Amino acid sequence: MTTDINLEEIKSPADIRTMTDAQLKQLAKELRQTLITKLSKHGGHVGPNLGMVDAIIALHYVFNTPEDKVVFDVSHQTYPHKMLTGRMDAFTQEAHYDDVTGYTNPSESPYDLFSLGHTSSAVALAAGMAKARDLKGEKHNVIAVIGDGSLSGGIAFEGLDYGATLGSNFIVIVNDNDMSIAENHGGIYADLRLLRNSKGEAEPNLFRSMGYAYRYVHNGNDIPSLIEAFRSVKDINYPVVVHINTEKGMGLPVAEAHKEQFHYSGPFDPKTGEATYSSDAEDYSDIFALETLRRIEEDKRVVAITAGTPGVLGFTPEKRRQAGRQFVDVGIAEQAAVDVASGLAKGGARPVVGLASTFLQRAFDQFSQDIALNRQPATFVVFYGGLYGLTDETHLGFFDISLLANIPGLEVLVPTCKEEFVDMLRWATLHSTVPTVVRAPSGAVVSRKDVRLLSDYTAARYDIVRHGSRVALIGAGTFFPLMSEAADELAKQGVDATLINPRQLSTLDKETLDTLGDYDIVITAEDGIVEGGFGQKVASYLGQAPVKVVNLGLPKAFLNRYNPRLVAEQCNLTVPQIVALATDNLR
Amino acid sequence: MTTDINLEEIKSPADIRTMTDAQLKQLAKELRQTLITKLSKHGGHVGPNLGMVDAIIALHYVFNTPEDKVVFDVSHQTYPHKMLTGRMDAFTQEAHYDDVTGYTNPSESPYDLFSLGHTSSAVALAAGMAKARDLKGEKHNVIAVIGDGSLSGGIAFEGLDYGATLGSNFIVIVNDNDMSIAENHGGIYADLRLLRNSKGEAEPNLFRSMGYAYRYVHNGNDIPSLIEAFRSVKDINYPVVVHINTEKGMGLPVAEAHKEQFHYSGPFDPKTGEATYSSDAEDYSDIFALETLRRIEEDKRVVAITAGTPGVLGFTPEKRRQAGRQFVDVGIAEQAAVDVASGLAKGGARPVVGLASTFLQRAFDQFSQDIALNRQPATFVVFYGGLYGLTDETHLGFFDISLLANIPGLEVLVPTCKEEFVDMLRWATLHSTVPTVVRAPSGAVVSRKDVRLLSDYTAARYDIVRHGSRVALIGAGTFFPLMSEAADELAKQGVDATLINPRQLSTLDKETLDTLGDYDIVITAEDGIVEGGFGQKVASYLGQAPVKVVNLGLPKAFLNRYNPRLVAEQCNLTVPQIVALATDNLR
């Protein structure tokens, strides 16, 4: 029987390199227990971390980190790595849970090489580090760790393709748990299955075909097997893939049984798996899924598309089954999602792609060339954009307006409420003849019973919701209700402001703007960075008019784990600040 | 002996479907002769088209185009396709040479499905069309044609990965001429070589590993072999790759011998291959290559990187040999180029990536996440950006400023002349501690002997080149000389304008801008779209000041084969127009 390990005494990987096999096994057990406790109380990436405990122990046991360099793809599986590299307190002590981010972060530790949160980049990043090593005549190992789900991203393939040409030490560990966030989709997964089923013996072999030596570890949760495999490739002088077969969620029965649900979870009961936080509130993903499913049932040409994140679209496994072949998951491959939509539209179907704001930027070229230049009437719905979206520096949703609204011919609609979201989505999916983006507002779902809907949103005119004078408040999307409240407050102070819902951010409504030229002040607010955004177009258009223009929105900065309320205040995005801005600028 | 074919009588593919093998061979010969005549007089993509004459004949012979759908990747190889689909005059008659674009274009013909010019997207686009066919219960063939060079782009892999899951007719023709634009680089090319050398028999097989049936055609310039192969996959009900081995430049000895030079060429003597147009003028690519090569020789940490387009960087085969392992070609894989640079910088090397403006947008996510968020001091040099860059709608260089200058922490330098370009490049490559973009001016190389250089360009202050009053002209990059000329002209008219070179477009120099608040007018000019660009930031910043602001730049539009002089006029980018703008707005 092995004695318990005192996790608090593990300050660096050196502390585990003298352990026996039995101690390492005990270490894995305790890391898992600690992780389950933290995750159940705090939430986080459950399955990815539980599945990788053993491999991360073996990695730090065999390799001389941090001199040997390990780049973890997405880095959402690095909680055990953080525990072994000087950050144990953030997992054992509840008061310190938030001392670490959910991803590798160089500001936390020299063992963390990059701040990463988007998939599939680790191989290319590691290949660059290997090349730097070779140019400088250094000798350490360079290792990329990438999951099977992440392999579907094009940049993973590009990185593998280049890495194979290095002609020097380059180790790619493929963590294959036969799952992406949801189930895998793509031709390569049949090959991975074949390799698992044949214990690595079968041909064809994707990795060999890309120029890699290949080694397979059938039990990727068995530390001795992993140590042996890693030792066999340590200091190797050519590119090699070590394909390890792991169990996602290992050690927590509910996570092993419900892999998609426990890829990421809020706080939960570790016995039953039930959420211990309230998640009853309707969100725009739910609304999207319901609306789209109805349309799918009515029209065989309607197809919903995801790039490996069906949950973002509200498409639960049950809803995916209902949609059948009218739901497409292209894998974590945003470029393909956009191009497949272009092909579908060209072929006469009605594709609607759901994307998280932070990930849509991975397909900019496809939006520009294959959708906008080719004028394909596909619909793109953006979730998690803006101030009340995701708050990690790697997952910000601030940048999509300045990206998409500057592409010629792409219609960017910004609904202000549920009713408008549903109406714009309906129009875009069924009737639009131009490529259309519908950006879900961020934050809680808002209802505006009196919103004025349109029969056609192509280059829609701005909606003048309230006709006033001297002060105009233009509130786009999420921030329309804020501007509406400010207008109410101004009215109380005797200032009769004009209140505008611009509806879309891609085409200036010059006729409406021309009526504001002799106002005292125009204030715009948008739920994205000010730079390159909507408000600056208004400021430029009115640049020769006497009216003052103030553009409100979010800062051009990689905020990290920010507090939305504080950021709103810093950006003058509160009712009293907007009211003061208006009244201070009255002539 | 076969009678000559009257090319002028070929109005559609139906006209070749009744031909005998001998007639088809004669047709190929005449198409090549016609192509060589046009290309030598007019310039264009030489090698790709000469190599694909036979395969395109066989495609239209076997498949029932346009009911069967063919998506050509990049579509720079579609001149023979245009000749067979109703556009022969544009090749046989010099007066009509410019009636067609250099790429497929749906506005020209129903046989052209997309306007394409960026690589690697055809497979995903075709997969979308196949899916649309299946949803609508249609039965035609869907075919993607992609070159071996284009296979290195991540979106090609993403498209193949998804296409394998269609479970229905999906045909991918891989045109393997063992060349990209230059030579191929990447792990997959060893596999393609193995497959060619084994006549398709060897394992591993990249295509099989991705879930495709596979068929190999050893002589991809032999029409009967191609017809047989295409017939064998016609109406197939599963995904298949037909790998055809072709000779790039076939039929023109100089093009066969000098494949890189004749990938694309201006007018040339078909006998000697010598250019018949003058190309003596120095350009920014030449300057870049000379400067970078010198730095490579001095410092082993300096690495130049291209994504499959070494010519864009001025790195001729001879210069690549000189640079040795300090020149990296990652294949046509812009995402990898940026991420490999990030890894290199992290590892202590000094990477400098050269990219054409139109292609850098393929790596937006990597610029944002892996370079800017991670603050890696890599250098990116942008070529062919702006008004005087590439003029095809598929290759415009207008959009990079609004893309890159809105990324937090990315320093975007806009040199106004050769001296500043060289100095900024030197600083960025050797000294910058932040990620830096140096955007080469577009058009002819300009010299400014009196330009004020800096020792540090981090968030550089604007250079007030001439102190005046009432009128300020801010000319960024390419358009500084234009603004300088306008200032001279205004001086002649008694208006003493302030003239500013902003040097960088990423950080407003608020101190300088504050001095302009009570001017009569500020005019900005930038060599990119106005929307989302630099000038609008100035307009927004000065939105509460009394000064009028006018932003000049390029339109948010996919211009096609435009005349730069006319566009400049339409955009008020001429000296008389700028002078008039200034004087008309004097208070």
Side-chain angles (χ1 to χ4, degrees):
Chain A
M1 215 192 104
T2 313
T3 332
D4 283 0
I5 308 275
N6 186 347
L7 292 184
E8 305 278 352
E9 284 176 6
I10 297 176
K11 301 297 181 195
S12 87
D15 296 324
I16 72 164
R17 288 185 190 135
T18 52
M19 287 185 180
T20 62
D21 276 4
Q23 286 173 313
L24 293 172
K25 191 172 181 177
Q26 178 64 21
L27 172 64
K29 191 178 161 189
E30 294 187 26
L31 291 181
R32 281 200 168 86
Q33 283 166 346
T34 305
L35 277 172
I36 290 168
T37 302
K38 173 170 177 177
L39 288 164
S40 64
K41 290 183 185 174
H42 180 273
H45 280 100
V46 181
N49 283 293
L50 291 175
M52 277 295 281
V53 165
D54 318 288
I56 284 174
I57 290 173
L59 262 173
H60 283 295
Y61 182 89
V62 171
F63 291 101
N64 185 32
T65 51
E67 281 69 36
D68 288 339
K69 309 297 180 196
V70 187
V71 185
F72 292 96
D73 198 72
V74 200
S75 76
H76 63 312
Q77 76 291 62
T78 53
Y79 302 178
H81 160 82
K82 294 199 178 197
M83 297 170 91
L84 299 180
T85 55
R87 289 164 281 181
M88 191 68 82
D89 291 357
F91 296 85
T92 53
Q93 299 178 23
E94 196 163 353
H96 290 283
Y97 278 175
D98 280 319
D99 287 3
V100 294
T101 68
Y103 305 92
T104 51
N105 194 324
S107 66
E108 280 178 20
S109 165
Y111 290 86
D112 290 12
L113 300 174
F114 296 93
S115 179
L116 290 186
H118 288 196
T119 64
S120 314
S121 60
V123 183
L125 291 169
M129 295 198 73
K131 178 75 181 178
R133 173 201 62 201
D134 297 346
L135 290 174
K136 293 164 77 187
E138 298 168 347
K139 291 291 172 204
H140 53 265
N141 290 275
V142 175
I143 301 139
V145 177
I146 184 168
D148 53 327
S150 292
L151 278 183
S152 55
I155 172 61
F157 169 84
E158 292 183 3
L160 284 166
D161 195 37
Y162 171 65
T165 69
L166 284 166
S168 59
N169 174 281
F170 188 57
I171 300 165
V172 180
I173 296 173
V174 174
N175 168 34
D176 183 359
N177 54 28
D178 194 20
M179 279 295 284
S180 185
I181 297 169
E183 72 286 355
N184 280 312
H185 292 271
I188 62 170
Y189 297 104
D191 191 44
L192 293 190
R193 189 175 317 118
L194 182 71
L195 291 170
R196 290 195 307 273
N197 291 345
S198 65
K199 301 200 174 176
E201 297 299 322
E203 287 285 5
N205 178 316
L206 177 68
F207 307 110
R208 287 195 206 274
S209 74
M210 296 196 68
Y212 287 76
Y214 176 79
R215 175 155 183 141
Y216 179 73
V217 179
H218 190 61
N219 186 348
N221 294 103
D222 179 57
I223 296 175
S225 304
L226 291 163
I227 288 177
E228 197 233 314
F230 294 164
R231 276 189 175 143
S232 76
V233 300
K234 189 180 180 182
D235 302 328
I236 209 167
N237 62 357
Y238 50 85
V240 62
V241 163
V242 184
H243 179 190
I244 69 175
N245 179 12
T246 65
E247 173 81 20
K248 194 166 183 174
M250 187 165 186
L252 179 64
V254 290
E256 291 178 25
H258 304 286
K259 290 186 163 64
E260 180 175 344
Q261 182 188 343
F262 283 95
H263 175 79
Y264 183 94
S265 175
F268 60 92
D269 179 323
K271 290 272 185 309
T272 64
E274 269 172 45
T276 54
Y277 62 102
S278 156
S279 61
D280 291 345
E282 183 183 38
D283 64 22
Y284 284 100
S285 300
D286 300 332
I287 296 170
F288 172 83
L290 273 176
E291 288 291 321
T292 302
L293 207 47
R294 181 177 320 151
R295 220 139 281 145
I296 280 172
E297 280 159 12
E298 287 165 3
D299 187 339
K300 68 179 179 180
R301 299 170 310 145
V302 173
V303 197
I305 301 174
T306 183
T309 56
V312 168
L313 290 68
F315 268 81
T316 58
E318 172 55 27
K319 288 199 175 72
R320 305 205 290 272
R321 270 187 297 275
Q322 279 178 259
R325 64 181 195 157
Q326 284 169 265
F327 187 84
V328 168
D329 185 343
V330 296
I332 305 182
E334 292 81 4
Q335 297 181 99
V338 175
D339 274 1
V340 167
S342 175
L344 276 159
K346 178 73 182 179
R350 300 295 309 190
V352 49
V353 186
L355 289 162
S357 166
T358 189
F359 298 135
L360 69 82
Q361 66 188 32
R362 294 160 68 87
F364 180 83
D365 192 52
Q366 288 69 36
F367 275 108
S368 170
Q369 294 278 309
D370 303 323
I371 293 293
L373 169 61
N374 279 279
R375 296 180 293 283
Q376 294 303 335
T379 299
F380 302 88
V381 182
V382 181
F383 298 98
Y384 305 168
L387 179 63
Y388 303 101
L390 305 175
T391 62
D392 288 296
E393 64 181 358
T394 45
H395 288 76
L396 301 175
F398 301 173
F399 304 107
D400 58 295
I401 294 174
S402 70
L403 273 184
L404 299 179
N406 292 320
I407 296 176
L410 192 60
E411 187 71 30
V412 179
L413 302 178
V414 282
T416 58
C417 62
K418 173 181 172 168
E419 291 79 6
E420 207 169 20
F421 176 74
V422 167
D423 199 57
M424 287 171 169
L425 178 62
R426 173 199 57 73
W427 172 78
T429 309
L430 297 179
H431 305 296
S432 177
T433 58
V434 297
T436 303
V437 173
V438 181
R439 190 184 198 242
S442 72
V445 171
V446 169
S447 178
R448 286 179 61 215
K449 301 291 180 208
D450 58 344
V451 63
R452 266 194 290 269
L453 306 177
L454 294 179
S455 57
D456 185 346
Y457 289 93
T458 317
R461 293 288 305 276
Y462 297 171
D463 183 18
I464 305 173
V465 178
R466 176 177 186 147
H467 287 266
S469 61
R470 300 181 68 193
V471 172
L473 305 180
I474 309 183
T478 310
F479 292 146
F480 177 82
L482 173 75
M483 287 304 222
S484 178
E485 238 187 286
D488 290 344
E489 185 56 37
L490 281 166
K492 286 184 203 155
Q493 300 185 19
V495 179
D496 187 22
T498 293
L499 174 68
I500 294 174
N501 166 14
R503 291 186 173 128
Q504 50 80 20
L505 304 184
S506 27
T507 311
L508 287 182
D509 178 349
K510 294 180 180 176
E511 213 175 303
T512 297
L513 292 176
D514 284 342
T515 65
L516 310 179
D518 58 359
Y519 271 49
D520 293 355
I521 184 165
V522 169
I523 305 176
T524 67
E526 65 200 288
D527 198 8
I529 55 170
V530 172
E531 300 211 11
F534 162 72
Q536 296 197 330
K537 294 183 214 310
V538 172
S540 175
Y541 182 72
L542 294 174
Q544 288 173 272
V547 64
K548 292 181 181 181
V549 179
V550 174
N551 302 130
L552 303 181
L554 304 179
K556 177 186 162 188
F558 290 114
L559 305 182
N560 199 11
R561 299 195 295 172
Y562 64 87
N563 177 325
R565 198 181 50 77
L566 293 181
V567 171
E569 271 174 27
Q570 285 155 7
C571 297
N572 289 317
L573 287 163
T574 67
V575 170
Q577 289 170 309
I578 293 164
V579 167
L581 253 177
T583 51
D584 290 354
N585 280 287
L586 290 175
R587 275 195 293 258
Chain B
M1 216 192 102
T2 315
T3 332
D4 283 0
I5 307 274
N6 186 347
L7 291 185
E8 305 278 353
E9 285 176 6
I10 298 175
K11 300 297 182 196
S12 86
D15 296 326
I16 72 164
R17 288 184 189 135
T18 52
M19 287 184 179
T20 63
D21 277 3
Q23 286 174 314
L24 292 172
K25 191 172 182 176
Q26 178 65 19
L27 171 64
K29 190 178 162 189
E30 294 188 26
L31 291 181
R32 281 198 167 87
Q33 285 167 344
T34 305
L35 277 171
I36 291 168
T37 303
K38 173 170 178 179
L39 287 164
S40 63
K41 290 184 185 175
H42 179 273
H45 280 100
V46 181
N49 282 293
L50 292 175
M52 278 294 280
V53 166
D54 318 289
I56 284 174
I57 290 173
L59 262 173
H60 283 294
Y61 183 86
V62 171
F63 292 99
N64 185 31
T65 52
E67 280 68 36
D68 287 338
K69 309 297 179 194
V70 186
V71 185
F72 292 96
D73 199 72
V74 199
S75 74
H76 62 314
Q77 77 290 63
T78 52
Y79 303 177
H81 159 83
K82 294 198 178 196
M83 297 169 90
L84 300 180
T85 55
R87 289 164 281 180
M88 191 68 82
D89 291 356
F91 297 85
T92 53
Q93 299 180 23
E94 195 162 355
H96 291 284
Y97 277 175
D98 281 318
D99 287 3
V100 294
T101 69
Y103 306 91
T104 51
N105 193 324
S107 65
E108 280 177 18
S109 164
Y111 291 86
D112 290 12
L113 300 174
F114 296 94
S115 178
L116 289 186
H118 287 196
T119 64
S120 312
S121 60
V123 183
L125 291 169
M129 295 197 73
K131 177 76 181 176
R133 172 201 62 200
D134 296 346
L135 290 174
K136 293 164 75 187
E138 298 168 347
K139 292 290 171 202
H140 53 264
N141 289 273
V142 175
I143 301 138
V145 177
I146 183 167
D148 53 327
S150 293
L151 278 183
S152 54
I155 172 61
F157 169 84
E158 292 183 1
L160 283 167
D161 195 37
Y162 170 64
T165 68
L166 284 166
S168 59
N169 173 281
F170 189 56
I171 299 165
V172 179
I173 296 172
V174 174
N175 167 34
D176 183 359
N177 54 30
D178 194 21
M179 279 295 283
S180 185
I181 297 170
E183 71 285 356
N184 279 312
H185 292 272
I188 62 170
Y189 296 103
D191 190 45
L192 293 190
R193 190 176 315 117
L194 182 73
L195 290 171
R196 289 195 306 272
N197 292 346
S198 66
K199 303 203 172 173
E201 296 299 322
E203 287 285 3
N205 178 314
L206 177 67
F207 306 110
R208 287 195 206 276
S209 74
M210 297 196 67
Y212 287 75
Y214 176 79
R215 171 148 190 151
Y216 179 73
V217 179
H218 191 63
N219 186 347
N221 295 103
D222 179 57
I223 296 175
S225 303
L226 291 163
I227 288 176
E228 196 234 317
F230 295 162
R231 278 189 174 142
S232 76
V233 299
K234 188 180 180 182
D235 302 327
I236 209 167
N237 62 357
Y238 49 85
V240 61
V241 164
V242 183
H243 180 188
I244 68 175
N245 179 13
T246 66
E247 174 81 19
K248 195 167 183 174
M250 187 164 184
L252 179 64
V254 291
E256 291 178 26
H258 305 285
K259 290 187 163 64
E260 181 175 343
Q261 182 188 343
F262 282 95
H263 174 80
Y264 183 95
S265 174
F268 60 93
D269 179 321
K271 290 271 185 312
T272 64
E274 269 172 47
T276 53
Y277 63 103
S278 157
S279 60
D280 290 345
E282 184 184 36
D283 64 22
Y284 284 101
S285 300
D286 300 332
I287 297 170
F288 171 84
L290 274 175
E291 288 291 321
T292 302
L293 207 47
R294 183 178 319 151
R295 222 140 279 145
I296 280 172
E297 280 158 14
E298 286 165 3
D299 187 338
K300 68 178 178 181
R301 299 170 311 145
V302 174
V303 197
I305 301 174
T306 183
T309 55
V312 168
L313 291 68
F315 269 81
T316 58
E318 172 56 26
K319 289 199 173 72
R320 305 206 290 272
R321 272 188 294 275
Q322 280 177 260
R325 62 182 195 153
Q326 285 169 264
F327 187 84
V328 168
D329 185 343
V330 296
I332 304 182
E334 292 80 5
Q335 299 181 99
V338 175
D339 274 1
V340 166
S342 176
L344 276 158
K346 177 75 183 177
R350 301 293 310 187
V352 49
V353 187
L355 289 162
S357 167
T358 188
F359 299 135
L360 69 81
Q361 67 189 31
R362 294 160 70 86
F364 180 84
D365 191 52
Q366 288 68 38
F367 274 107
S368 171
Q369 295 277 309
D370 302 324
I371 291 294
L373 169 61
N374 279 279
R375 296 180 294 282
Q376 293 303 336
T379 299
F380 301 87
V381 182
V382 181
F383 298 97
Y384 305 166
L387 180 63
Y388 303 101
L390 306 175
T391 61
D392 287 296
E393 63 180 359
T394 46
H395 288 76
L396 301 175
F398 301 172
F399 304 107
D400 57 295
I401 294 174
S402 69
L403 273 185
L404 298 179
N406 292 320
I407 296 177
L410 193 60
E411 188 71 30
V412 179
L413 302 178
V414 282
T416 59
C417 61
K418 173 181 173 169
E419 292 79 6
E420 207 168 19
F421 176 74
V422 167
D423 199 57
M424 287 173 169
L425 179 62
R426 173 200 56 74
W427 172 78
T429 308
L430 297 179
H431 305 296
S432 177
T433 58
V434 296
T436 303
V437 173
V438 181
R439 189 183 198 245
S442 71
V445 172
V446 169
S447 177
R448 286 179 62 215
K449 301 289 181 207
D450 59 344
V451 64
R452 267 193 290 269
L453 306 176
L454 295 180
S455 58
D456 185 346
Y457 288 94
T458 317
R461 295 286 306 275
Y462 297 170
D463 184 17
I464 305 173
V465 177
R466 175 176 186 147
H467 288 265
S469 61
R470 299 181 69 192
V471 172
L473 304 179
I474 309 183
T478 310
F479 291 146
F480 178 82
L482 173 76
M483 287 303 222
S484 178
E485 236 185 287
D488 290 344
E489 185 57 37
L490 281 167
K492 285 186 204 154
Q493 300 185 19
V495 178
D496 188 21
T498 293
L499 175 68
I500 294 175
N501 166 14
R503 290 186 174 126
Q504 50 80 20
L505 304 184
S506 27
T507 311
L508 287 182
D509 178 348
K510 294 180 179 176
E511 215 176 302
T512 298
L513 292 177
D514 284 342
T515 66
L516 309 178
D518 57 359
Y519 272 49
D520 293 355
I521 184 166
V522 170
I523 305 175
T524 66
E526 66 201 287
D527 197 9
I529 54 169
V530 172
E531 299 211 11
F534 162 70
Q536 295 198 330
K537 294 184 214 311
V538 172
S540 174
Y541 182 73
L542 295 173
Q544 288 174 272
V547 64
K548 292 181 182 181
V549 178
V550 174
N551 302 131
L552 303 181
L554 306 179
K556 176 187 164 188
F558 291 114
L559 305 182
N560 200 11
R561 300 195 295 173
Y562 64 87
N563 177 327
R565 197 181 52 74
L566 292 182
V567 172
E569 271 175 28
Q570 284 154 7
C571 297
N572 289 316
L573 287 164
T574 69
V575 170
Q577 289 170 310
I578 294 164
V579 167
L581 253 178
T583 50
D584 290 352
N585 281 286
L586 291 175
R587 275 195 293 256

